[in-house]
Amino acid sequence: MKIKTTDNRGNPNGFLIPVWSVRDASGYRPAQVYVTAVAPKSVKGPHLHYRRYGMFCCIRGNVRIVCRLRTGEYKEFVSGDAHDHNRVSIPPGTPTAIYNDSDTEALVLNLPSPEWSAEDPDEWPVANWNPPHEIQRDLSA
């Protein structure tokens, strides 16, 4: 959730977005924090991690984070400048893709647990990724 901030005189001067806190009730603790850039009109993924939780927060631009649930249904979350709720959590075993529909690069914080490593990437192929048209959208439009 975005929290509007003010200067010493009470004038708006921006906002802050709590991404993660040790006080989070979920008990989730990120093991790594990094920034991934998503080029304009492109998609990253889908990715599948069987052991890794994911938490995403778009810090510049706007993205859609699309997941395929265990039921086979697809669910879409949004994060970024145009949205008040920015943090998206993804459980292990959930195929996920990040879409940038805009004409500008988006920057997304990724807070996985356990951390990514070249020795144990926990990256698996995603079969039959086929979100409905209203989610898929044509990125060239």
Side-chain angles (χ1 to χ4, degrees):
M1 154 168 40
K2 284 186 184 177
I3 300 170
K4 294 179 182 176
T5 58
T6 58
D7 64 18
N8 294 348
R9 296 183 185 139
N11 299 313
N13 64 359
F15 61 88
L16 63 89
I17 300 170
V19 177
W20 179 83
S21 169
V22 71
R23 296 176 187 227
D24 278 351
S26 69
Y28 176 83
R29 293 187 180 269
Q32 182 179 45
V33 178
Y34 63 88
V35 174
T36 187
V38 187
K41 303 287 186 188
S42 66
V43 60
K44 284 210 164 180
H47 296 99
L48 175 58
H49 308 293
Y50 283 114
R51 294 182 309 279
R52 186 176 308 130
Y53 282 85
M55 183 184 293
F56 302 99
C57 182
C58 185
I59 58 172
R60 186 180 77 194
N62 293 288
V63 296
R64 294 182 298 116
I65 299 166
V66 176
C67 304
R68 185 173 65 209
L69 307 176
R70 293 179 196 261
T71 62
E73 297 173 275
Y74 288 83
K75 186 161 183 172
E76 179 181 87
F77 302 91
V78 292
S79 180
D81 297 337
H83 309 286
D84 286 333
H85 183 78
N86 284 285
R87 184 172 72 179
V88 177
S89 298
I90 307 297
T94 306
T96 304
I98 303 173
Y99 291 80
N100 179 358
D101 301 316
S102 76
D103 294 324
T104 60
E105 179 182 74
L107 297 180
V108 178
L109 283 179
N110 190 348
L111 295 86
S113 186
E115 75 281 0
W116 181 89
S117 73
E119 296 79 30
D120 183 16
D122 184 31
E123 294 178 9
W124 304 95
V126 176
N128 304 318
W129 182 260
N130 192 22
H133 179 71
E134 60 271 13
I135 290 178
Q136 184 69 25
R137 297 188 193 133
D138 182 5
L139 292 172
S140 64

